[in-house]
Amino acid sequence: MARITVHVEPRHADNSPCDHAVKPSGRPRDPASGCPGRTQFAVVCSEHGDVGGPHHVKVLAEPAAVDHRQEHRAALAAR
């Protein structure tokens, strides 16, 4: 059985992953990096892909990730 992972991923406005170094405001630390800045956070499951809608604050995305992870644990326990 494959391991299922659920994590919070920072995203740009066009929904592409943001793996650049950014300031707490979401603006890129290096203006020459080509990063437009982080605008949202997505909960990503290795089995289901994006879960729910984007969150504009990481603090709101983390509980959604925990909830989805718990759903997987409950489904596994029910087997």
Side-chain angles (χ1 to χ4, degrees):
M1 185 166 161
R3 182 177 185 147
I4 297 171
T5 59
V6 179
H7 66 280
V8 176
E9 180 178 84
R11 299 271 178 96
H12 297 129
D14 65 356
N15 208 28
S16 63
C18 179
D19 56 357
H20 307 95
V22 294
K23 297 176 184 176
S25 65
R27 295 185 185 132
R29 289 198 184 274
D30 179 13
S33 69
C35 175
R38 179 196 68 229
T39 60
Q40 58 193 357
F41 295 91
V43 177
V44 182
C45 174
S46 61
E47 185 174 313
H48 299 117
D50 288 2
V51 178
H55 302 273
H56 297 286
V57 184
K58 189 173 184 177
V59 167
L60 298 176
E62 290 170 345
V66 170
D67 291 344
H68 188 73
R69 199 173 294 119
Q70 291 297 344
E71 290 173 14
H72 280 288
R73 287 185 182 144
L76 186 61
R79 290 185 191 180

